[in-house]
Amino acid sequence: MTDRFVYLDHAATTPVRQSVVKAMEPYFTDKYGNASSPYSIGRESRAALDKSRDAIAEGLGVDSREIIFTAGATESIINSIIGAYLGNRHRGNHILTSSIEHPAVHAVLDFLKEKMDAETELVDVDSNGILKLDELESKLRDDTVLVSVMNVNNEVGSIQDIKAVVGMCEERGIMVHSDCVQSIGKMPLDLADLGVDLSCMSGHKFGGPKGIGVMYVRQGTHLEPICEGSQEFGFRAGTENVAGIVGMAVAFDEAVKGQAEHEVLHARYKQQLFEIIRDAEPAAEINGDLETCIPATLSVWLPGCSGEMLVLALDRANVAVSTGSACHTGAIDPSHVLTAMGMGRLEALGSIRISMGHTTSQEDIDRFGEVFAGVYEQVKVSAG
Ligand code: PLP
């Protein structure tokens, strides 16, 4: 009998829901019309697209015209940040972001700095991965055009006070972009209430397919379309991915409906997971604070251990978790999130991330409990 596969890396991607596969299927077979075509199967695709857009807009508390479909959050981030910069270049060239953003945000800002004369600055976080709001305020300038701060961090799950960020920026006429990729299905989210100008989400993070996402552009936001065309209100050229959009809308609906229940379950599982780890390694510590992190994500430091080796050893026991560190050309870099939280290189490299989602069950946690101590012991012994 093969061991149960335990998937605890939902922050990386999620299994596609069966309902999503079922809803998408007709758009690959019978309903293959181009949503811009005037005849019946084209109109059918257009209707499905409109319905999906309305459902997602309603779930986020915003207007349908503010929802732009893209090929994922990375594309949304590129279009939002470059578009906001170009559309407001006359007002200044200064952009602020947190030190713990997803690499997609940092990469766009590096591009703007190198190629388009932007001045970019990072704002620090505290040891729990929470943005230092006073530092943000002190760094705002007359020529600041954009502030980009993620809602929930993908490595430790820390939740930022986006309303406070918006409050500071609004009175100075500065736009706010907030990456909400890790929020959907994991905490309540109302974009209109947050008050941000720009945001993004990604279908594959909540049980939808990969390669489909949303860019949220609040009405009245001045954005230069960098992928201009006739589709998606002029913000995103290209034939729409109708199957992906339909699938993402179904996944979104289920994620939002199940959110409260999952939040309670994940909080319980998180506690159990940490106890299992603590039993094996009494010196283990949580990176971040339980109070200010979403329940679905648990980042743990195991002193003296290699996170990379532990992830590989757990994989051999059929358990999937992640390190959060990036591997470039054979050298392993410590996570920029953990180092920004003040951890040293070795501490950051000795951490693992466990993340839960809609399929996570008590059986998964129990199985994790059965294998963890043995696997951890092996890793410690082999590391000498
Ligand atoms: N932002 C965050 C916080 C993420 O976790 C991810 C995915 O890893 C992305 C952006 C990029 O999303 P996508 O895979 O849709 O490009």
Side-chain angles (χ1 to χ4, degrees), residues 33-343:
N34 185 318
S36 299
S37 297
Y39 41 79
S40 63
I41 59 166
R43 292 197 310 273
E44 204 169 12
S45 286
R46 168 66 50 196
L49 207 144
D50 290 345
K51 194 171 154 221
S52 301
R53 195 190 311 277
D54 290 346
I56 291 173
E58 197 188 328
L60 291 171
V62 301
D63 195 272
S64 295
R65 285 190 63 89
E66 298 174 318
I67 299 295
I68 316 296
F69 292 121
T70 64
T74 300
E75 186 191 302
S76 303
I77 289 166
I78 292 169
N79 287 344
S80 290
I81 296 184
I82 300 181
Y85 180 71
L86 293 181
N88 295 273
R89 183 65 188 84
H90 58 285
R91 298 183 52 225
N93 71 337
H94 185 234
I95 306 178
L96 287 168
T97 193
S98 85
S99 50
I100 60 165
E101 293 301 299
H102 188 271
V105 170
H106 285 166
V108 178
L109 294 190
D110 287 347
F111 169 80
L112 288 179
K113 192 171 162 180
E114 280 165 30
K115 310 275 188 209
M116 293 189 179
D117 198 30
E119 257 190 85
T120 62
E121 264 187 282
L122 296 181
V123 180
D124 283 332
V125 292
D126 65 17
S127 58
N128 289 324
I130 300 296
L131 189 77
K132 292 181 176 166
L133 288 169
D134 49 348
E135 185 181 321
L136 171 66
E137 183 146 42
S138 71
K139 284 185 167 167
L140 292 173
R141 307 191 322 209
D142 290 345
D143 61 346
T144 307
V145 286
L146 179 72
V147 170
S148 186
V149 177
M150 70 203 319
N151 188 27
V152 173
N153 179 264
N154 48 305
E155 289 188 31
V156 297
S158 55
I159 306 167
Q160 306 304 333
D161 186 350
I162 300 299
K163 276 191 178 186
V165 174
V166 170
M168 263 177 217
C169 294
E170 211 168 28
E171 60 193 41
R172 295 171 170 87
I174 299 168
M175 288 175 295
V176 176
H177 171 260
S178 185
D179 172 341
C180 289
V181 167
Q182 296 288 341
S183 320
I184 312 295
K186 297 173 185 168
M187 61 176 281
L189 182 71
D190 181 326
L191 283 182
D193 183 51
L194 278 190
V196 296
D197 302 288
L198 299 159
S199 183
C200 60
M201 66 181 208
S202 178
H204 74 104
K205 304 289 184 176
F206 48 84
K210 293 172 182 62
I212 188 73
V214 162
M215 168 166 93
Y216 164 73
V217 183
R218 187 157 77 126
Q219 276 189 37
T221 305
H222 197 217
L223 199 71
E224 181 88 26
I226 66 159
C227 183
E228 199 166 355
S230 58
Q231 294 92 350
E232 297 303 303
F233 312 118
F235 283 115
R236 207 276 184 170
T239 304
E240 298 91 341
N241 173 0
V242 180
I245 291 166
V246 167
M248 176 167 63
V250 171
F252 178 80
D253 181 54
E254 291 190 12
V256 170
K257 283 188 179 136
Q259 184 268 320
E261 190 190 330
H262 281 123
E263 208 173 344
V264 174
L265 278 178
H266 294 162
R268 193 171 83 209
Y269 297 158
K270 187 175 193 165
Q271 201 68 43
Q272 294 175 2
L273 285 165
F274 188 56
E275 276 164 23
I276 293 164
I277 295 171
R278 261 269 165 97
D279 282 348
E281 174 53 76
E285 278 180 35
I286 297 180
N287 302 321
D289 173 52
L290 284 180
E291 293 295 302
T292 52
C293 287
I294 53 163
T297 304
L298 172 65
S299 173
V300 185
W301 170 47
L302 297 122
C305 177
S306 154
E308 192 74 14
M309 281 175 70
L310 185 53
V311 167
L312 295 175
L314 283 168
D315 178 43
R316 289 192 288 276
N318 241 353
V319 175
V321 300
S322 109
T323 55
S325 59
C327 187
H328 303 294
T329 58
I332 300 162
D333 289 334
S335 145
H336 72 287
V337 174
L338 299 180
T339 50
M341 286 163 63
M343 293 176 71

